Amino acid sequence: MASQILPLELIDRCIGSRIWVITKGEREFAGKLLGFDDFVNMVLEDVTEYINTEDGVKKVRLQQTLLNGNNICMLVPGSSGPEDA
Amino acid sequence: MSASPPQDQAGASAGTVGTPADFLKGVIGKRVVVRLTSGVDYQGLLSCLDGYMNIALEQTEEYVDGAVVNRYGDAFIRGNNVLYISAMESI
């Protein structure tokens, strides 16, 4: 059987590199992935938070951040965020 | 979902540092900004927290749209409201 990779294995391989996190709401995060747990709570470093509003995109810079997995919708490994897409 | 706190489950990515459990251990006593899903920010000194992301802050400032609207000596935040906890100094 061809080798298969599980979704969270893919994210595990992404530890140490940059990742783009898209939430259920109007927010996105891009940063270096330091780790995550079974709930996909994530620790990110050198983070940019992108807040999509009617007036445009607001950017917030953050240092080491623990992102609650509750609101996470999609992960894009190896991407530096919406500006990189 | 089970009722056990996330830190009991931590270690999915075993052998690495920087997991959520490690972050929680390292961030106690540091100045942090806690953002709720509503967009309200709480800045303060993190006195303690648990695996549910329940948080106790000291010298807390409440920010709405970037402006301070309240100050609290001590504040407790229930974890289900937390979007993220961000360290304002290095861990």
Side-chain angles (χ1 to χ4, degrees):
Chain A
M1 192 180 125
S3 72
Q4 205 191 346
I5 177 169
L6 296 165
L8 288 182
E9 263 176 65
L10 181 70
I11 304 307
D12 198 68
R13 290 187 195 186
C14 191
I15 287 173
S17 54
R18 293 191 72 81
I19 193 166
W20 178 19
V21 181
I22 299 159
T23 69
K24 290 195 281 188
E26 303 304 310
R27 280 173 211 280
E28 298 168 32
F29 296 86
K32 184 179 154 194
L33 179 65
L34 297 187
F36 66 98
D37 62 17
D38 286 354
F39 295 98
V40 200
N41 300 315
M42 310 190 102
V43 183
L44 300 173
E45 194 174 61
D46 298 327
V47 185
T48 309
E49 177 185 4
Y50 299 88
I51 307 161
N52 301 310
T53 65
E54 291 161 6
D55 305 327
V57 181
K58 192 185 164 209
K59 284 198 274 185
V60 181
R61 294 301 313 269
L62 303 163
Q63 300 178 39
Q64 221 181 86
T65 300
L66 173 60
L67 187 60
N68 195 336
N70 242 323
N71 300 292
I72 291 174
C73 179
M74 184 164 82
L75 303 169
V76 185
S79 172
S80 295
E83 292 158 319
D84 182 42
Chain B
M1 199 199 292
S2 77
S4 63
Q7 64 192 20
D8 293 350
Q9 309 276 326
S13 42
T16 59
V17 286
T19 61
D22 296 327
F23 179 90
L24 295 179
K25 268 182 252 166
V27 80
I28 291 167
K30 301 280 198 291
R31 281 196 70 78
V32 296
V33 52
V34 177
R35 178 161 290 183
L36 309 189
T37 50
S38 63
V40 179
D41 282 339
Y42 292 87
Q43 272 184 29
L45 203 62
L46 197 150
S47 54
C48 63
L49 81 176
D50 62 19
Y52 295 110
M53 295 197 203
N54 294 322
I55 294 164
L57 290 177
E58 292 170 4
Q59 303 165 23
T60 313
E61 292 174 328
E62 182 179 37
Y63 286 81
V64 177
D65 295 329
V68 181
V69 294
N70 259 313
R71 290 175 212 277
Y72 309 102
D74 281 295
F76 173 83
I77 299 167
R78 196 173 190 273
N80 66 307
N81 302 294
V82 174
L83 174 66
Y84 65 69
I85 305 166
S86 184
M88 297 174 78
E89 47 193 306
S90 54
I91 293 180

